[in-house]
Amino acid sequence: SKEEKHFIHNHLTFTVKYHKDPLSGSARIVGFEVKPFSVKHEYEGEWNEKTRLTTCDPHAKRAVTSSESPQEVEEKKEIIFTYDVEFQESDIKWASRWDTYLLMADDQIHWFSIVNSLMIVLFLSGMVAMIMLRTLYRDISKYNQLETQEEAQEETGWKLVHGDVFRPPANSDLLCVYVGTGVQFFGMILVMMIFALLGFLSPSNRGGLMTAMLLLWVFMGLFAGYSSARLYKLFKGAEWKKITLKTAFMFPATVFAIFFVLNALIWGQKSSGAVPFGTMFALVLLWFGISVPLVFVGSYFGFKKPATEDPVKTNKIPRQIPEQAWYMNPAFSILIGGILPFGAVFIELFFILTSIWLHQFYYIFGFLFIVFVILIITCAEITVVLCYFQLCSEDYLWWWRSYLTSGSSAFYLFLYAAFYFFTKLEITKAVSGVLYFGYMLIISYSFFVLTGTIGFYACFWFTRLIYSSVKID
């Protein structure tokens, strides 16, 4: 009709399911279902405590099964609220009561995601294999056959920059910090994935996943300190305590500052979702009491070990970098490098975002682990391919570029989060929008640190491998 009418659900039908234990004879509730109905209740005579409804009468065993005559909301009219309860015996055992929520209806999408990601990996692996087997093998054998210096000087490509390729980069301290943090993140995610895969971190245990993540992050500080100190020593750094402090504080302080502001906003809204100050204090205690000392222990052992030797000597005077083609422009190649790692994970990312923001359960850790392995391979391969092209065009500034190439996938992750916000979520309040983008910023920043470190170590291994294979006069 043209005039709008409003109806109310004023009847609830509860179906309580129980399972009888054949051995003990006792029963346990294993589930329940609630169905709402809108019913215009009827009764005879005046309303009092003993009035029996004709539409919902427990004595006559008349239950509500449909909303054929719905209850309209009208001014100064009464609404009678009712409910009925039915107990049903169920075959579901107590241990399997969660299976209702953990039904995997869309496993085909996950398989499609993995096949899609594997195609990307195969394509990249083919490129890497071609570079390693054909180009490098040919180059190395040709370089090693050169007899005169004149012939060597006629050569072009990656061999020409051998005297500069291991020159420490600008802001090398910052790179050490980011690499150390990335190792800490990688260790945390790897161990957490294995625990989840073995069934230790069930979604039925609320908060178990987050607690495990925080504890693992704290204990992985040992590896963060070790890896940042090893790289710092390679760059001929001497002040290991300074680099350790930066590793222990930079990333956690940034994330904690964003988290604190977001929590203050929730607190300002008087929401029960705000993290209490006691928990905040416990987090700071974990950070300062366990994480920071472990980073120092790791750094101490990392710096004590002898520095890694470079396969080739570095010239005293830096070589001039020739003018690069437009497609070898740092900004362009970095942004191109992030597309494939993001493409390998974005379908799984959709399910993760849905579980975080639309209160659904994410439990298929087997798929997630496969996707994580694919992400590692994709990040490593795309960075190696682009690093090789960069060295071939006689640009030896690969340290930071290798980190940013795979790390730029975090930029696409944040863009996708914005797309998800406007297409899937119906958030209208400003505070809720700020919370969403604040938390997604933390996730994207963490993803940047993780993928960047994977790309960096792949390139580090690759450059050492190719330059140690060449005879240099």
Side-chain angles (χ1 to χ4, degrees):
S1 63
K2 283 182 184 174
E3 62 173 292
E4 285 188 351
K5 290 184 177 183
H6 298 87
F7 298 92
I8 187 166
H9 282 131
N10 60 329
H11 180 88
L12 296 176
T13 297
F14 292 89
T15 306
V16 182
K17 297 184 176 183
Y18 64 92
H19 178 75
K20 268 191 175 175
D21 185 5
L23 296 171
S24 63
S26 59
R28 272 171 144 177
I29 291 171
V30 290
F32 62 88
E33 290 171 6
V34 189
K35 287 181 190 170
F37 295 108
S38 181
V39 185
K40 191 175 175 67
H41 286 303
E42 293 169 4
Y43 58 89
E44 292 171 4
E46 288 291 312
W47 177 265
N48 61 43
E49 285 179 18
K50 294 178 181 177
T51 303
R52 281 167 67 169
L53 300 171
T54 54
T55 45
C56 179
D57 189 355
H59 304 289
K61 293 201 174 163
R62 181 183 169 85
V64 175
T65 52
S66 67
S67 299
E68 281 174 12
S69 55
Q71 173 70 58
E72 191 183 342
V73 180
E74 293 173 288
E75 223 177 316
K76 293 179 180 172
K77 287 280 179 81
E78 67 179 10
I79 298 173
I80 299 170
F81 289 91
T82 56
Y83 69 93
D84 61 61
V85 184
E86 184 192 357
F87 284 83
Q88 267 183 19
E89 193 167 351
S90 170
D91 295 330
I92 299 166
K93 290 180 181 172
W94 171 256
S96 312
R97 69 194 186 284
W98 269 85
D99 292 1
T100 315
Y101 303 102
L102 306 183
L103 280 172
M104 206 159 105
D106 44 19
D107 59 335
Q108 282 183 316
I109 299 171
H110 293 279
W111 281 118
F112 169 73
S113 157
I114 284 166
V115 169
N116 164 55
S117 304
L118 281 172
M119 295 309 289
I120 294 172
V121 167
L122 285 171
F123 165 71
L124 282 171
S125 299
M127 284 190 75
V128 171
M130 192 175 73
I131 288 169
M132 298 294 280
L133 295 172
R134 286 188 59 197
T135 321
L136 282 174
Y137 182 73
R138 192 185 64 217
D139 286 357
I140 290 165
S141 59
K142 193 161 68 176
Y143 289 143
N144 289 347
Q145 284 165 8
L146 293 178
E147 289 175 5
T148 63
Q149 192 64 31
E150 288 77 30
E151 274 183 282
Q153 280 173 352
E154 284 171 22
E155 288 299 326
T156 56
W158 56 271
K159 198 219 175 195
L160 281 179
V161 293
H162 70 82
D164 296 276
V165 79
F166 293 109
R167 187 182 302 283
N171 298 319
S172 57
D173 288 17
L174 193 62
L175 183 66
C176 297
V177 170
Y178 270 115
V179 167
T181 307
V183 168
Q184 189 174 5
F185 228 93
F186 182 80
M188 176 194 83
I189 288 178
L190 188 69
V191 176
M192 192 187 72
M193 289 266 194
I194 292 165
F195 278 166
L197 208 60
L198 296 171
F200 292 122
L201 298 171
S202 168
S204 60
N205 178 16
R206 279 196 61 155
L209 203 67
M210 189 57 77
T211 309
M213 276 176 73
L214 284 168
L215 288 173
L216 283 169
W217 166 266
V218 164
F219 289 115
M220 288 295 163
L222 194 70
F223 298 101
Y226 181 81
S227 44
S228 63
R230 294 294 296 139
L231 193 60
Y232 185 64
K233 194 159 186 182
L234 178 74
F235 293 150
K236 310 286 187 288
E239 298 174 16
W240 71 276
K241 287 175 186 171
K242 187 177 80 173
I243 209 79
T244 309
L245 278 172
K246 283 184 180 176
T247 308
F249 287 101
M250 204 172 115
F251 179 83
T254 311
V255 171
F256 190 79
I258 299 169
F259 177 69
F260 189 81
V261 170
L262 295 177
N263 197 58
L265 285 172
I266 307 171
W267 196 54
Q269 294 289 309
K270 296 181 173 61
S271 166
S272 59
V275 176
F277 278 104
T279 311
M280 284 283 218
F281 182 72
L283 286 174
V284 174
L285 209 65
L286 274 174
W287 177 16
F288 283 88
I290 303 173
S291 183
V292 175
L294 281 177
V295 173
F296 265 92
V297 170
S299 274
Y300 174 75
F301 284 110
F303 205 77
K304 217 172 137 184
K305 281 186 80 174
T308 316
E309 286 295 317
D310 291 329
V312 285
K313 284 181 181 173
T314 303
N315 295 338
K316 286 180 181 174
I317 300 163
R319 179 190 174 86
Q320 194 174 354
I321 299 169
E323 199 175 326
Q324 301 292 304
W326 64 271
Y327 52 83
M328 287 311 293
N329 182 293
F332 181 78
S333 66
I334 284 166
L335 286 172
I336 288 293
I339 293 172
L340 289 177
F342 171 74
V345 298
F346 93 98
I347 295 177
E348 212 58 36
L349 185 69
F350 170 79
F351 290 102
I352 293 168
L353 287 179
T354 305
S355 72
I356 295 171
W357 298 107
L358 295 176
H359 303 289
Q360 292 185 14
F361 290 105
Y362 190 90
Y363 54 91
I364 32 176
F365 295 108
F367 277 121
L368 191 62
F369 187 74
I370 296 168
V371 169
F372 180 59
V373 171
I374 290 170
L375 175 71
I376 295 168
I377 298 167
T378 313
C379 285
E381 289 182 343
I382 189 69
T383 316
V384 163
V385 169
L386 291 174
C387 179
Y388 178 74
F389 291 148
Q390 183 189 344
L391 293 173
C392 283
S393 61
E394 297 174 36
D395 181 355
Y396 53 83
L397 302 174
W398 64 273
W399 296 99
W400 269 110
R401 184 129 32 132
S402 66
Y403 197 98
L404 297 171
T405 298
S406 51
S408 65
S409 54
F411 170 68
Y412 296 104
L413 189 150
F414 192 75
L415 286 182
Y416 181 73
F419 169 77
Y420 185 87
F421 178 84
F422 292 112
T423 55
K424 297 286 175 196
L425 303 178
E426 292 174 10
I427 291 176
T428 48
K429 285 187 79 175
V431 172
S432 302
V434 170
L435 282 177
Y436 175 84
F437 283 104
Y439 283 127
M440 287 317 298
L441 186 67
I442 290 174
I443 291 169
S444 301
Y445 185 34
S446 308
F447 194 71
F448 164 74
V449 167
L450 171 72
T451 51
T453 303
I454 294 165
F456 172 81
Y457 273 117
C459 259
F460 185 67
W461 167 81
F462 172 73
T463 47
R464 293 183 73 80
L465 182 78
I466 63 171
Y467 284 99
S468 61
S469 312
V470 178
K471 283 181 193 167
I472 288 158
D473 299 327

